[in-house]
Coordinates of all heavy atoms in Angstrom, one line a residue:
M1 N 19.2 18.6 -2.0 CA 18.0 17.7 -1.9 C 18.0 17.2 -0.5 O 19.0 16.6 0.0 CB 18.1 16.6 -2.9 CG 16.9 15.7 -2.8 SD 16.9 14.3 -4.0 CE 16.3 15.1 -5.4
S2 N 16.9 17.3 0.2 CA 16.8 16.8 1.6 C 16.7 15.3 1.5 O 16.3 14.7 0.5 CB 15.6 17.4 2.3 OG 14.4 16.8 1.8
I3 N 17.1 14.7 2.7 CA 17.0 13.2 2.8 C 15.5 12.7 2.6 O 15.3 11.7 2.0 CB 17.6 12.7 4.1 CG1 17.7 11.2 4.1 CG2 16.7 13.2 5.3 CD1 18.7 10.7 3.2
R4 N 14.6 13.5 3.1 CA 13.2 13.1 2.9 C 12.8 13.1 1.4 O 12.1 12.1 1.0 CB 12.3 14.1 3.7 CG 10.9 13.7 3.8 CD 10.2 14.7 4.6 NE 8.8 14.3 4.9 CZ 8.0 14.9 5.7 NH1 8.3 16.0 6.2 NH2 6.8 14.4 5.9
K5 N 13.2 14.1 0.7 CA 12.9 14.1 -0.8 C 13.6 13.0 -1.5 O 13.1 12.4 -2.4 CB 13.2 15.4 -1.4 CG 12.3 16.6 -1.0 CD 12.7 17.9 -1.6 CE 11.7 19.0 -1.2 NZ 12.1 20.2 -1.8
F6 N 14.8 12.7 -1.1 CA 15.6 11.7 -1.7 C 14.9 10.3 -1.4 O 14.8 9.5 -2.4 CB 17.0 11.7 -1.1 CG 17.9 10.5 -1.6 CD1 18.4 10.6 -2.9 CD2 18.1 9.4 -0.8 CE1 19.2 9.6 -3.4 CE2 18.9 8.4 -1.3 CZ 19.5 8.5 -2.6
L7 N 14.5 10.0 -0.2 CA 13.8 8.8 0.1 C 12.5 8.6 -0.6 O 12.1 7.6 -1.1 CB 13.6 8.6 1.6 CG 14.8 8.4 2.5 CD1 14.5 8.5 3.9 CD2 15.5 7.1 2.1
A8 N 11.7 9.7 -0.7 CA 10.5 9.7 -1.5 C 10.7 9.4 -2.9 O 10.0 8.6 -3.5 CB 9.7 11.0 -1.3
A9 N 11.7 10.1 -3.5 CA 12.0 9.8 -4.9 C 12.4 8.4 -5.1 O 12.0 7.7 -6.1 CB 13.1 10.8 -5.4
G10 N 13.2 7.8 -4.2 CA 13.6 6.4 -4.3 C 12.4 5.5 -4.2 O 12.4 4.5 -5.0
A11 N 11.5 5.8 -3.4 CA 10.3 4.9 -3.2 C 9.5 4.9 -4.5 O 9.0 3.9 -4.9 CB 9.5 5.4 -2.0
V12 N 9.3 6.1 -5.1 CA 8.5 6.2 -6.3 C 9.2 5.5 -7.5 O 8.6 4.8 -8.2 CB 8.3 7.7 -6.7 CG1 7.8 7.9 -8.1 CG2 7.4 8.4 -5.7
A13 N 10.5 5.6 -7.6 CA 11.3 4.9 -8.6 C 11.2 3.4 -8.4 O 11.0 2.7 -9.4 CB 12.8 5.4 -8.6
A14 N 11.3 2.9 -7.2 CA 11.1 1.5 -6.9 C 9.7 1.0 -7.3 O 9.6 -0.1 -7.8 CB 11.5 1.2 -5.5
A15 N 8.7 1.8 -7.0 CA 7.4 1.4 -7.3 C 7.2 1.4 -8.8 O 6.5 0.4 -9.3 CB 6.4 2.4 -6.7
L16 N 7.7 2.3 -9.6 CA 7.6 2.2 -11.0 C 8.3 1.0 -11.6 O 7.8 0.4 -12.6 CB 8.2 3.5 -11.6 CG 7.3 4.8 -11.3 CD1 8.1 6.0 -11.9 CD2 6.0 4.7 -11.9
V17 N 9.5 0.7 -11.1 CA 10.3 -0.4 -11.6 C 9.6 -1.7 -11.3 O 9.5 -2.6 -12.2 CB 11.7 -0.4 -11.1 CG1 12.4 -1.7 -11.4 CG2 12.5 0.8 -11.6
T18 N 9.0 -1.9 -10.1 CA 8.4 -3.2 -9.7 C 7.0 -3.3 -10.1 O 6.4 -4.3 -10.1 CB 8.5 -3.4 -8.2 OG1 7.8 -2.3 -7.5 CG2 10.0 -3.4 -7.8
G19 N 6.3 -2.2 -10.5 CA 4.9 -2.2 -10.8 C 4.0 -2.1 -9.6 O 2.8 -2.2 -9.7
V20 N 4.6 -1.9 -8.4 CA 3.8 -1.7 -7.2 C 3.6 -0.3 -6.9 O 4.5 0.5 -7.0 CB 4.6 -2.4 -6.0 CG1 3.8 -2.1 -4.7 CG2 4.8 -3.8 -6.2
G21 N 2.4 0.1 -6.7 CA 2.0 1.5 -6.4 C 2.0 1.8 -5.0 O 1.7 1.0 -4.1
I22 N 2.3 3.1 -4.6 CA 2.1 3.6 -3.3 C 1.2 4.7 -3.4 O 1.3 5.6 -4.2 CB 3.5 4.0 -2.7 CG1 4.4 2.8 -2.5 CG2 3.3 4.7 -1.3 CD1 5.8 3.2 -2.1
D23 N 0.2 4.8 -2.5 CA -0.8 5.9 -2.5 C -0.1 7.2 -2.2 O 0.5 7.3 -1.2 CB -1.9 5.6 -1.5 CG -3.0 6.6 -1.6 OD1 -2.9 7.6 -2.4 OD2 -4.0 6.4 -0.9
T24 N 0.0 8.1 -3.2 CA 0.7 9.3 -3.0 C -0.2 10.5 -2.8 O 0.3 11.6 -2.8 CB 1.6 9.6 -4.2 OG1 0.8 9.6 -5.4 CG2 2.7 8.5 -4.4
A25 N -1.5 10.3 -2.5 CA -2.3 11.4 -2.2 C -1.8 12.2 -1.0 O -1.8 13.4 -0.9 CB -3.8 10.9 -1.9
R26 N -1.3 11.5 0.0 CA -0.6 12.0 1.1 C 0.6 11.1 1.3 O 0.5 10.0 1.8 CB -1.5 12.1 2.3 CG -0.8 12.6 3.5 CD -1.7 12.7 4.8 NE -1.0 13.2 5.9 CZ -0.3 12.5 6.7 NH1 -0.1 11.2 6.6 NH2 0.3 13.1 7.7
A27 N 1.8 11.6 0.9 CA 3.0 10.7 1.0 C 3.3 10.4 2.5 O 3.4 11.3 3.3 CB 4.2 11.4 0.3
P28 N 3.5 9.1 2.8 CA 3.8 8.8 4.2 C 5.2 9.1 4.5 O 6.1 9.3 3.7 CB 3.6 7.2 4.2 CG 3.8 6.8 2.8 CD 3.3 8.0 1.9
E29 N 5.4 9.3 5.8 CA 6.8 9.5 6.3 C 7.7 8.3 5.9 O 7.2 7.2 5.8 CB 6.8 9.7 7.8 CG 6.0 10.9 8.3 CD 6.6 12.2 8.0 OE1 7.9 12.3 7.9 OE2 5.9 13.2 7.7
A30 N 9.0 8.6 5.9 CA 9.9 7.5 5.5 C 9.8 6.3 6.4 O 9.8 5.1 6.0 CB 11.3 8.0 5.5
S31 N 9.6 6.5 7.8 CA 9.4 5.5 8.7 C 8.1 4.7 8.5 O 8.0 3.5 8.7 CB 9.5 6.0 10.1 OG 8.5 6.9 10.4
A32 N 7.1 5.4 8.0 CA 5.8 4.8 7.8 C 5.9 3.8 6.6 O 5.3 2.8 6.6 CB 4.7 5.8 7.6
V33 N 6.7 4.2 5.6 CA 6.8 3.3 4.4 C 7.4 2.0 4.8 O 7.0 0.9 4.3 CB 7.7 4.0 3.4 CG1 8.0 3.0 2.2 CG2 7.1 5.3 2.8
E34 N 8.3 2.0 5.8 CA 8.9 0.7 6.2 C 8.1 -0.1 7.1 O 8.3 -1.3 7.3 CB 10.2 1.1 6.9 CG 11.2 1.8 6.0 CD 12.4 2.3 6.8 OE1 12.5 2.2 8.0 OE2 13.3 2.9 6.2
C35 N 7.0 0.4 7.7 CA 6.3 -0.3 8.7 C 5.1 -1.1 8.1 O 4.5 -1.9 8.8 CB 5.8 0.5 9.9 SG 4.6 1.7 9.5
V36 N 4.8 -0.9 6.8 CA 3.9 -1.8 6.1 C 4.7 -2.8 5.3 O 5.5 -2.3 4.4 CB 2.9 -1.0 5.3 CG1 2.0 -2.0 4.5 CG2 2.0 -0.1 6.1
Q37 N 4.5 -4.1 5.5 CA 5.4 -5.0 4.9 C 4.6 -6.1 4.2 O 3.4 -6.2 4.3 CB 6.3 -5.7 5.9 CG 7.2 -4.7 6.6 CD 8.1 -5.4 7.7 OE1 7.9 -6.5 8.1 NE2 9.2 -4.7 8.1
N38 N 5.3 -6.9 3.4 CA 4.7 -8.0 2.7 C 3.5 -7.6 1.8 O 2.5 -8.2 1.9 CB 4.3 -9.1 3.7 CG 5.5 -9.7 4.5 OD1 6.6 -9.7 4.0 ND2 5.2 -10.0 5.7
V39 N 3.7 -6.5 1.1 CA 2.7 -6.0 0.2 C 2.7 -6.9 -1.0 O 3.7 -7.0 -1.8 CB 2.9 -4.6 -0.2 CG1 1.8 -4.1 -1.1 CG2 3.0 -3.7 1.1
T40 N 1.6 -7.6 -1.3 CA 1.4 -8.5 -2.4 C 0.1 -8.1 -3.2 O -0.6 -7.2 -2.7 CB 1.3 -9.9 -2.1 OG1 0.1 -10.2 -1.3 CG2 2.5 -10.4 -1.2
I41 N -0.2 -8.7 -4.2 CA -1.4 -8.5 -5.0 C -2.7 -8.8 -4.1 O -3.8 -8.2 -4.4 CB -1.5 -9.2 -6.3 CG1 -2.5 -8.7 -7.3 CG2 -1.7 -10.7 -6.1 CD1 -2.3 -9.2 -8.7
W42 N -2.5 -9.5 -3.1 CA -3.6 -10.0 -2.3 C -3.7 -9.3 -0.9 O -4.8 -9.2 -0.4 CB -3.4 -11.5 -2.1 CG -4.5 -12.2 -1.2 CD1 -4.3 -12.6 0.1 CD2 -5.8 -12.5 -1.5 NE1 -5.4 -13.2 0.6 CE2 -6.4 -13.1 -0.4 CE3 -6.6 -12.4 -2.7 CZ2 -7.7 -13.6 -0.4 CZ3 -7.9 -12.9 -2.7 CH2 -8.4 -13.4 -1.6
Q43 N -2.6 -8.9 -0.3 CA -2.7 -8.4 1.1 C -1.4 -7.6 1.5 O -0.5 -7.5 0.7 CB -2.7 -9.6 2.0 CG -1.5 -10.5 2.0 CD -1.7 -11.8 2.7 OE1 -2.7 -12.1 3.3 NE2 -0.7 -12.7 2.7
A44 N -1.5 -7.0 2.6 CA -0.4 -6.2 3.2 C -0.4 -6.3 4.7 O -1.5 -6.3 5.3 CB -0.5 -4.7 2.8
Y45 N 0.8 -6.4 5.3 CA 0.9 -6.5 6.8 C 1.2 -5.2 7.4 O 2.2 -4.6 7.0 CB 1.9 -7.6 7.2 CG 2.0 -7.8 8.6 CD1 1.0 -8.5 9.3 CD2 3.1 -7.4 9.4 CE1 1.1 -8.8 10.6 CE2 3.1 -7.6 10.7 CZ 2.1 -8.3 11.4 OH 2.2 -8.5 12.7
N46 N 0.5 -4.7 8.4 CA 0.7 -3.4 9.0 C 1.5 -3.6 10.3 O 1.0 -4.2 11.2 CB -0.6 -2.7 9.2 CG -0.5 -1.3 9.8 OD1 0.6 -0.8 9.8 ND2 -1.6 -0.7 10.2
K47 N 2.6 -2.9 10.4 CA 3.4 -2.9 11.6 C 3.4 -1.5 12.2 O 4.1 -1.2 13.1 CB 4.8 -3.3 11.4 CG 4.9 -4.8 11.0 CD 6.4 -5.2 10.7 CE 7.2 -5.1 12.0 NZ 8.6 -5.6 11.8
C48 N 2.6 -0.5 11.6 CA 2.6 0.9 12.1 C 1.8 1.0 13.4 O 0.5 0.9 13.3 CB 2.0 1.8 11.0 SG 2.8 1.7 9.4
A49 N 2.4 1.3 14.5 CA 1.7 1.5 15.7 C 0.8 2.8 15.6 O 1.3 3.9 15.3 CB 2.6 1.6 16.9
G50 N -0.5 2.6 15.8 CA -1.4 3.8 15.8 C -1.8 4.3 14.5 O -2.5 5.3 14.4
V51 N -1.4 3.7 13.4 CA -1.8 4.2 12.1 C -2.4 3.0 11.2 O -1.7 2.1 10.8 CB -0.5 4.7 11.3 CG1 -0.9 5.2 9.9 CG2 0.2 5.8 12.1
P52 N -3.7 3.0 11.1 CA -4.3 2.0 10.3 C -3.9 2.1 8.8 O -3.6 3.1 8.3 CB -5.8 2.3 10.4 CG -6.0 3.1 11.6 CD -4.7 3.9 11.7
A53 N -3.8 0.9 8.2 CA -3.4 0.8 6.8 C -4.4 -0.1 6.1 O -5.0 -1.0 6.7 CB -2.0 0.3 6.7
R54 N -4.6 0.1 4.8 CA -5.4 -0.9 4.0 C -4.8 -1.1 2.6 O -4.2 -0.2 2.0 CB -6.8 -0.4 3.9 CG -7.1 0.7 3.0 CD -8.6 1.0 2.8 NE -8.8 2.2 2.1 CZ -10.0 2.7 1.8 NH1 -11.0 2.1 2.3 NH2 -10.1 3.8 1.1
H55 N -4.9 -2.3 2.2 CA -4.4 -2.8 0.9 C -5.4 -2.3 -0.2 O -6.6 -2.2 0.0 CB -4.3 -4.3 0.9 CG -3.8 -4.9 -0.3 ND1 -4.6 -5.2 -1.4 CD2 -2.6 -5.2 -0.7 CE1 -3.9 -5.7 -2.4 NE2 -2.6 -5.7 -2.0
W56 N -4.9 -2.1 -1.4 CA -5.8 -1.7 -2.5 C -5.2 -2.4 -3.8 O -4.1 -2.6 -3.9 CB -6.0 -0.2 -2.8 CG -4.7 0.6 -2.9 CD1 -4.1 1.3 -1.9 CD2 -3.9 0.7 -4.0 NE1 -2.9 1.9 -2.4 CE2 -2.8 1.5 -3.7 CE3 -4.0 0.3 -5.4 CZ2 -1.8 1.9 -4.6 CZ3 -3.0 0.7 -6.3 CH2 -1.9 1.5 -5.9
D57 N -6.2 -2.7 -4.7 CA -5.8 -3.2 -6.0 C -6.5 -2.2 -7.1 O -7.6 -1.9 -7.0 CB -6.4 -4.6 -6.3 CG -5.7 -5.7 -5.6 OD1 -4.5 -5.5 -5.3 OD2 -6.3 -6.8 -5.3
A58 N -5.7 -1.8 -8.0 CA -6.2 -1.0 -9.2 C -6.6 -2.0 -10.2 O -5.7 -2.8 -10.7 CB -5.2 0.0 -9.7
I59 N -7.8 -2.0 -10.7 CA -8.3 -2.9 -11.7 C -8.5 -2.2 -13.0 O -9.1 -1.1 -13.1 CB -9.7 -3.5 -11.2 CG1 -9.7 -3.9 -9.7 CG2 -10.2 -4.6 -12.1 CD1 -8.8 -5.0 -9.4
K60 N -8.0 -2.9 -14.1 CA -8.2 -2.3 -15.4 C -9.7 -2.2 -15.8 O -10.4 -3.1 -15.6 CB -7.5 -3.3 -16.4 CG -7.5 -2.7 -17.9 CD -6.8 -3.7 -18.8 CE -6.8 -3.2 -20.2 NZ -6.0 -4.1 -21.1
N61 N -10.0 -1.0 -16.2 CA -11.4 -0.7 -16.7 C -12.5 -0.9 -15.6 O -13.6 -1.3 -15.9 CB -11.8 -1.5 -17.9 CG -10.9 -1.1 -19.1 OD1 -10.5 0.0 -19.3 ND2 -10.6 -2.1 -19.9
S62 N -12.1 -0.7 -14.3 CA -13.0 -0.9 -13.2 C -12.6 -0.1 -12.0 O -11.5 0.5 -12.0 CB -13.1 -2.4 -12.8 OG -14.0 -2.6 -11.8
A63 N -13.4 0.0 -11.0 CA -13.1 0.7 -9.8 C -12.1 0.0 -9.0 O -12.0 -1.3 -9.1 CB -14.4 1.0 -9.0
S64 N -11.3 0.7 -8.3 CA -10.3 0.0 -7.4 C -11.0 -0.7 -6.3 O -12.1 -0.4 -5.9 CB -9.4 1.1 -6.7 OG -8.6 1.7 -7.7
K65 N -10.3 -1.8 -5.8 CA -10.9 -2.6 -4.7 C -10.0 -2.4 -3.5 O -8.8 -2.4 -3.6 CB -10.8 -4.1 -5.2 CG -11.5 -4.4 -6.5 CD -13.0 -4.1 -6.4 CE -13.7 -4.5 -7.7 NZ -15.1 -4.1 -7.7
Y66 N -10.6 -2.3 -2.4 CA -9.9 -2.1 -1.1 C -10.1 -3.2 -0.1 O -11.2 -3.7 0.0 CB -10.4 -0.7 -0.5 CG -10.1 0.4 -1.4 CD1 -11.0 0.9 -2.3 CD2 -8.9 1.1 -1.3 CE1 -10.8 2.0 -3.1 CE2 -8.6 2.2 -2.1 CZ -9.6 2.6 -3.0 OH -9.3 3.7 -3.8
G67 N -9.1 -3.5 0.6 CA -9.1 -4.4 1.7 C -9.6 -3.7 3.0 O -9.9 -2.5 3.0
N68 N -9.7 -4.5 4.1 CA -10.1 -3.9 5.4 C -9.0 -3.0 5.9 O -7.8 -3.1 5.6 CB -10.3 -5.1 6.3 CG -9.1 -5.9 6.5 OD1 -8.6 -6.6 5.6 ND2 -8.5 -5.9 7.7
W69 N -9.4 -2.1 6.8 CA -8.4 -1.2 7.5 C -7.8 -2.1 8.6 O -8.5 -2.8 9.4 CB -9.1 0.0 8.2 CG -9.4 1.1 7.2 CD1 -10.6 1.4 6.8 CD2 -8.5 2.0 6.6 NE1 -10.5 2.5 5.9 CE2 -9.2 2.8 5.8 CE3 -7.1 2.1 6.7 CZ2 -8.6 3.8 5.0 CZ3 -6.5 3.1 6.0 CH2 -7.3 4.0 5.2
A70 N -6.5 -2.2 8.7 CA -5.8 -3.1 9.6 C -5.0 -2.2 10.6 O -4.3 -1.3 10.2 CB -4.9 -4.0 8.8
S71 N -5.1 -2.6 11.8 CA -4.3 -1.9 12.9 C -2.9 -2.6 12.9 O -2.7 -3.6 12.2 CB -5.0 -2.1 14.2 OG -6.2 -1.5 14.2
A72 N -2.0 -2.1 13.8 CA -0.7 -2.7 13.9 C -0.8 -4.1 14.2 O -1.6 -4.5 15.1 CB 0.1 -1.9 14.9
G73 N 0.0 -4.9 13.6 CA 0.0 -6.4 13.8 C -1.1 -7.2 13.1 O -1.3 -8.3 13.4
Q74 N -1.7 -6.5 12.2 CA -2.8 -7.2 11.5 C -2.6 -7.1 10.0 O -1.8 -6.3 9.5 CB -4.2 -6.5 11.8 CG -4.6 -6.7 13.2 CD -5.9 -6.0 13.5 OE1 -6.3 -5.1 12.8 NE2 -6.6 -6.5 14.5
W75 N -3.3 -8.0 9.2 CA -3.3 -8.0 7.8 C -4.5 -7.3 7.2 O -5.6 -7.4 7.7 CB -3.3 -9.5 7.3 CG -2.1 -10.3 7.5 CD1 -1.8 -11.0 8.6 CD2 -1.0 -10.3 6.7 NE1 -0.6 -11.6 8.5 CE2 0.0 -11.2 7.3 CE3 -0.6 -9.8 5.5 CZ2 1.2 -11.5 6.8 CZ3 0.6 -10.1 4.9 CH2 1.5 -10.9 5.6
S76 N -4.2 -6.5 6.1 CA -5.3 -6.0 5.3 C -5.4 -6.9 4.1 O -4.4 -7.1 3.4 CB -5.0 -4.6 4.9 OG -6.0 -4.1 4.0
K77 N -6.5 -7.5 3.9 CA -6.7 -8.5 2.8 C -7.8 -8.2 1.9 O -8.8 -7.6 2.3 CB -6.9 -9.9 3.4 CG -5.8 -10.4 4.3 CD -6.1 -11.8 4.8 CE -5.0 -12.3 5.7 NZ -5.3 -13.7 6.2
Q78 N -7.7 -8.6 0.7 CA -8.8 -8.4 -0.3 C -9.9 -9.4 0.0 O -9.6 -10.5 0.5 CB -8.2 -8.6 -1.7 CG -7.3 -7.5 -2.2 CD -8.0 -6.2 -2.3 OE1 -9.2 -6.1 -2.7 NE2 -7.3 -5.1 -2.0
A79 N -11.1 -9.1 -0.3 CA -12.2 -10.0 -0.1 C -12.3 -11.1 -1.2 O -12.9 -12.1 -1.0 CB -13.6 -9.2 -0.1
S80 N -11.6 -10.9 -2.3 CA -11.7 -11.8 -3.4 C -10.4 -11.7 -4.2 O -9.6 -10.7 -4.0 CB -12.9 -11.5 -4.3 OG -13.0 -12.5 -5.3
C81 N -10.1 -12.6 -5.1 CA -9.0 -12.5 -6.0 C -9.5 -11.8 -7.3 O -10.4 -12.4 -8.0 CB -8.5 -13.9 -6.3 SG -7.1 -13.9 -7.4
W82 N -9.1 -10.6 -7.6 CA -9.6 -9.8 -8.7 C -8.8 -10.1 -10.0 O -7.6 -10.2 -9.9 CB -9.5 -8.4 -8.3 CG -10.1 -8.0 -7.0 CD1 -9.4 -7.6 -5.9 CD2 -11.5 -8.1 -6.6 NE1 -10.3 -7.5 -4.8 CE2 -11.6 -7.7 -5.3 CE3 -12.6 -8.4 -7.3 CZ2 -12.8 -7.7 -4.6 CZ3 -13.9 -8.4 -6.6 CH2 -13.9 -8.0 -5.3
A83 N -9.5 -10.1 -11.1 CA -8.9 -10.3 -12.4 C -8.5 -8.9 -12.9 O -9.0 -7.9 -12.4 CB -9.9 -10.9 -13.4
N84 N -7.5 -8.8 -13.8 CA -7.1 -7.6 -14.4 C -6.5 -6.5 -13.4 O -6.7 -5.3 -13.6 CB -8.2 -6.9 -15.2 CG -8.7 -7.9 -16.3 OD1 -7.9 -8.5 -17.0 ND2 -10.0 -7.9 -16.5
V85 N -5.8 -7.0 -12.4 CA -5.1 -6.1 -11.5 C -3.9 -5.5 -12.2 O -3.1 -6.2 -12.8 CB -4.7 -6.8 -10.2 CG1 -3.8 -5.9 -9.4 CG2 -5.9 -7.3 -9.5
V86 N -3.9 -4.1 -12.3 CA -2.7 -3.5 -13.0 C -1.7 -2.9 -12.0 O -0.6 -2.7 -12.4 CB -3.2 -2.4 -14.0 CG1 -4.0 -3.0 -15.1 CG2 -4.1 -1.3 -13.2
S87 N -2.1 -2.7 -10.8 CA -1.1 -2.3 -9.8 C -1.8 -2.5 -8.4 O -3.0 -2.7 -8.3 CB -0.7 -0.8 -9.9 OG -1.8 0.1 -9.7
Y88 N -1.0 -2.5 -7.4 CA -1.5 -2.7 -6.0 C -0.6 -2.0 -5.0 O 0.5 -1.6 -5.4 CB -1.6 -4.2 -5.7 CG -0.3 -5.0 -5.8 CD1 0.6 -5.1 -4.8 CD2 0.0 -5.6 -7.0 CE1 1.8 -5.7 -4.9 CE2 1.2 -6.3 -7.2 CZ 2.1 -6.4 -6.1 OH 3.3 -7.0 -6.2
G89 N -1.1 -1.8 -3.8 CA -0.3 -1.1 -2.8 C -1.1 -1.0 -1.5 O -2.0 -1.8 -1.3
Y90 N -0.8 0.1 -0.8 CA -1.5 0.3 0.5 C -1.7 1.8 0.7 O -1.0 2.6 0.1 CB -0.8 -0.3 1.6 CG 0.6 0.3 1.9 CD1 0.7 1.4 2.8 CD2 1.7 -0.1 1.2 CE1 1.9 2.0 3.0 CE2 2.9 0.5 1.4 CZ 3.0 1.5 2.3 OH 4.2 2.1 2.5
S91 N -2.6 2.1 1.6 CA -2.8 3.5 2.0 C -2.8 3.6 3.5 O -3.2 2.6 4.2 CB -4.2 4.0 1.5 OG -4.4 4.0 0.1
L92 N -2.3 4.7 4.0 CA -2.3 4.9 5.5 C -3.4 5.9 5.8 O -3.6 6.9 5.1 CB -1.0 5.5 6.0 CG 0.2 4.6 5.7 CD1 1.5 5.3 6.1 CD2 0.1 3.2 6.5
K93 N -4.1 5.6 6.9 CA -5.2 6.5 7.3 C -4.6 7.8 7.9 O -3.7 7.7 8.8 CB -6.1 5.8 8.3 CG -7.5 6.5 8.5 CD -8.3 5.7 9.4 CE -9.6 5.3 8.7 NZ -10.5 4.5 9.6
A94 N -5.0 8.9 7.5 CA -4.5 10.2 8.0 C -5.0 10.5 9.4 O -6.0 10.1 9.8 CB -4.9 11.4 7.1

């Protein structure tokens, strides 16, 4: 098993245990996973140079809610506090 697959599997396992989701439509590089920090139900801080990131909330029986696209050194925040959030995370712009 390559180190990249090992790290990806570890990130998925951690997300399942903590209830925090990571957008896996396009799995980020291991270094990219580390550069988005302080991911909470409300916001995420982007430290990725040159890679915009945005926070998202998955809502029970409703469409997902997305925060603003944030450049490096900025926060992606939700516009409101949503009820019935079942998971949350962030996406990196390809």
